[in-house]
Amino acid sequence: MTVVADLVAALGSGAVRVVDLTNKLSASTPTLRLPEPFANLIDFSLEQVSAYDAPGPFWKHHNIRTGEHIGTHLDAPVHWVTGREGHDVSQIPPARLVGPAAVMDFSAEASADPDFLLEIDHVKGWIAEHGELAEGTWLLFRTGWDRFADDQERFLNADETGSHTPGISAACAEWLATSTPISGFGVETVGIDAGNAGGFDPPFPAHFHLLGNDKYGLTSLQNLASLPPTGAVLIVAPLPIVGGTGSPTRVLALVDGQ
Amino acid sequence: MTVVADLVAALGSGAVRVVDLTNKLSASTPTLRLPEPFANLIDFSLEQVSAYDAPGPFWKHHNIRTGEHIGTHLDAPVHWVTGREGHDVSQIPPARLVGPAAVMDFSAEASADPDFLLEIDHVKGWIAEHGELAEGTWLLFRTGWDRFADDQERFLNADETGSHTPGISAACAEWLATSTPISGFGVETVGIDAGNAGGFDPPFPAHFHLLGNDKYGLTSLQNLASLPPTGAVLIVAPLPIVGGTGSPTRVLALVDGQ
Ligand SMILES: [Mn+2]
Ligand SMILES: [Mn+2]
């Protein structure tokens, strides 16, 4: 049998499962709140156009209004000024959207310290235990933050000193972007940078380094706890928006076993 | 090696390819035009909110406005009055979104007759040649219509007698919906029904029968010509919109070989 025929058989028997890593989209999906003077995107909303009634007797359908960077979504290189000459979301090579997942679990550390940052040594420690990051890997940073994904306030965890959510150090972002063959970096929080990363050097270093080096960002992931550290295939499916800087994105994983 | 580990290796070596079946989304993506008195959805559009400037000095981002049923998109059961008690697009079991593709090529017939309809005997003929439809199959109806996918007028092919695009007969839609284990039915045209199916009995029989029997619709597919008749895995990735009747959808396929 071929690899794809084996996959078909394994999906049919349940030997391979499809795991959904996506937050549901509604008007209450938690979203980023940029401070003044920055302009925020609109939240997600549906507008009913017909519901088995006069404007459409047999069908129901809606219009959608949303920002590109709402809910579980992908950041394309062109989202950031450092990637402005790079790909928009419609130009991403499809091969980069399907690849191995490397799940790094720092949920205990992030639970103890909401400002926890992933450092180069954390990643090197994971590699020492689980092996090198293969070409096209999606590095998924598990922090347990998905438990707040239905609660805007706890998800952003803001006080008078700003938002306190885990992220990645500037040094680690630069190293991942320039010294590893990852395809992208995925998080459970509202954005790929830490909540207080506007004060880092450079500001928002995950965006700065990753998008500036043709890596992608992926946010508001859920259910990373159901993935093994290695051995899952991630499927990242943004809408191919011409000129788009990102897109709400369905994210699925293929996992061995019941 | 496990099935998923084999897949990772095959993606890495190029022995399995990722094929994109999605039309790009922009303001010129061809869309359905319902006649009076029915209400149409809005077309897709982007609104720039910042572009490395005052409202966002380091980033570019946009708001999105679109109908649910625009471009390459999925029809959920609740889209149709016959499926009104069924699943919305966020409730679709993830296992139903990844499955074997059965590609039925009637592009020669549709090229000769734009009103060509897929009949039960066509499907039975395909099964006699290629084998039974497995549980969870996505039946993909190739008509060559994707060659018009950047041209609204040719895509809808309307004249004073209505729209002339290929589809499926009422008998075949009912038979597929009630007598086969398919997950969904995918087409290259603007909707899962023929252009003139408003005059069929029942009107729009693909919607009526398939969505009323917990099957999904998938429209405006491209590149079906690069899939084998059997042996590809289809990945259907709608946005999980709470209450949504459908969604613009990224559709990818995994295919053996270079
Ligand atoms: Mn973003
Ligand atoms: Mn539709």
Side-chain angles (χ1 to χ4, degrees):
Chain A
M1 296 232 289
T2 68
V3 172
V4 178
D6 281 343
L7 177 61
V8 167
L11 288 164
S13 73
V16 168
R17 287 179 305 124
V18 181
V19 177
D20 193 0
L21 307 180
T22 323
N23 197 5
K24 290 196 194 309
L25 277 169
S26 73
S28 61
T29 303
T31 57
L32 186 66
R33 295 284 181 265
L34 292 165
E36 293 278 343
F38 306 135
N40 281 288
L41 298 179
I42 56 174
D43 283 349
F44 185 92
S45 67
L46 283 185
E47 172 202 21
Q48 186 176 294
V49 175
S50 74
Y52 329 120
D53 53 12
F58 303 131
W59 57 87
K60 181 162 73 172
H61 58 180
H62 305 98
N63 289 322
I64 297 169
R65 291 175 173 74
T66 183
E68 289 173 326
H69 298 260
I70 298 294
T72 303
H73 74 270
L74 181 136
D75 290 347
V78 74
H79 176 44
W80 215 252
V81 64
T82 49
R84 66 189 298 167
E85 305 302 329
H87 285 160
D88 71 38
V89 68
S90 75
Q91 295 168 324
I92 293 175
R96 297 265 314 263
L97 298 175
V98 183
V103 183
M104 305 195 183
D105 183 0
F106 291 90
S107 50
E109 290 81 351
S111 193
D113 173 13
D115 293 316
F116 174 78
L117 296 182
L118 187 71
E119 300 285 359
I120 297 173
D121 281 347
H122 294 126
V123 180
K124 287 188 171 169
W126 186 95
I127 289 172
E129 185 175 356
H130 298 287
E132 290 292 336
L133 298 171
E135 180 81 30
T137 291
W138 283 85
L139 194 169
L140 305 180
F141 178 37
R142 170 151 168 73
T143 55
W145 220 258
D146 58 341
R147 71 188 184 279
F148 303 133
D150 61 354
D151 182 334
Q152 171 83 28
E153 205 165 321
R154 297 183 77 192
F155 200 61
L156 297 190
N157 195 34
D159 62 18
E160 64 288 351
T161 67
S163 173
H164 297 279
T165 61
I168 180 171
S169 74
C172 187
E174 182 173 17
W175 178 75
L176 285 174
T178 59
S179 303
T180 74
I182 64 169
S183 194
F185 175 64
V187 300
E188 296 170 333
T189 46
V190 76
I192 58 172
D193 266 297
N196 59 2
F200 292 6
D201 180 22
F204 309 107
H207 288 85
F208 183 98
H209 290 297
L210 291 163
L211 305 184
N213 284 281
D214 197 35
K215 311 298 188 186
Y216 313 125
L218 198 53
T219 76
S220 296
L221 295 171
Q222 301 202 336
N223 301 325
L224 294 185
S226 44
L227 300 189
T230 66
V233 164
L234 198 73
I235 299 166
V236 180
L239 301 177
I241 300 167
V242 176
T245 71
S247 170
T249 296
R250 192 68 179 266
V251 183
L252 304 171
L254 303 179
V255 182
D256 281 306
Q258 298 298 340
Chain B
M1 297 233 287
T2 68
V3 172
V4 178
D6 281 344
L7 177 61
V8 167
L11 288 164
S13 73
V16 168
R17 288 178 304 123
V18 181
V19 177
D20 193 359
L21 306 180
T22 323
N23 197 5
K24 289 195 193 308
L25 277 169
S26 73
S28 61
T29 303
T31 58
L32 186 65
R33 294 285 182 264
L34 292 165
E36 292 279 346
F38 306 134
N40 281 287
L41 299 179
I42 56 174
D43 284 349
F44 185 92
S45 67
L46 283 185
E47 172 203 21
Q48 185 176 294
V49 175
S50 74
Y52 328 120
D53 52 13
F58 302 131
W59 58 88
K60 180 163 73 171
H61 58 179
H62 307 96
N63 289 322
I64 297 169
R65 290 176 173 75
T66 182
E68 288 173 326
H69 298 260
I70 297 295
T72 303
H73 73 270
L74 181 136
D75 289 348
V78 74
H79 176 45
W80 215 251
V81 64
T82 50
R84 66 189 297 167
E85 305 302 328
H87 285 160
D88 71 38
V89 68
S90 75
Q91 297 168 325
I92 293 175
R96 297 267 312 263
L97 298 175
V98 182
V103 183
M104 305 195 184
D105 183 0
F106 292 90
S107 50
E109 291 81 351
S111 193
D113 173 14
D115 293 315
F116 174 78
L117 296 181
L118 187 70
E119 299 284 359
I120 296 174
D121 280 348
H122 294 126
V123 180
K124 288 188 170 171
W126 185 96
I127 288 172
E129 186 174 356
H130 298 286
E132 288 294 335
L133 298 171
E135 181 81 29
T137 291
W138 283 85
L139 194 169
L140 305 180
F141 178 38
R142 170 152 168 74
T143 56
W145 221 258
D146 60 340
R147 70 188 185 279
F148 303 133
D150 61 355
D151 182 332
Q152 171 81 29
E153 204 166 322
R154 297 183 78 191
F155 200 61
L156 298 190
N157 195 35
D159 62 19
E160 64 289 350
T161 67
S163 173
H164 297 279
T165 60
I168 179 171
S169 73
C172 187
E174 182 173 16
W175 178 77
L176 285 174
T178 60
S179 303
T180 74
I182 63 169
S183 195
F185 176 64
V187 301
E188 296 170 334
T189 45
V190 76
I192 58 172
D193 266 298
N196 59 1
F200 292 6
D201 179 21
F204 310 107
H207 288 85
F208 182 97
H209 291 297
L210 292 164
L211 304 184
N213 285 281
D214 197 34
K215 311 298 189 186
Y216 314 125
L218 199 53
T219 75
S220 297
L221 295 170
Q222 300 202 337
N223 300 325
L224 295 185
S226 44
L227 300 189
T230 67
V233 164
L234 199 72
I235 299 165
V236 180
L239 300 177
I241 300 166
V242 176
T245 71
S247 170
T249 295
R250 192 67 179 267
V251 183
L252 304 171
L254 302 178
V255 182
D256 281 306
Q258 301 294 343

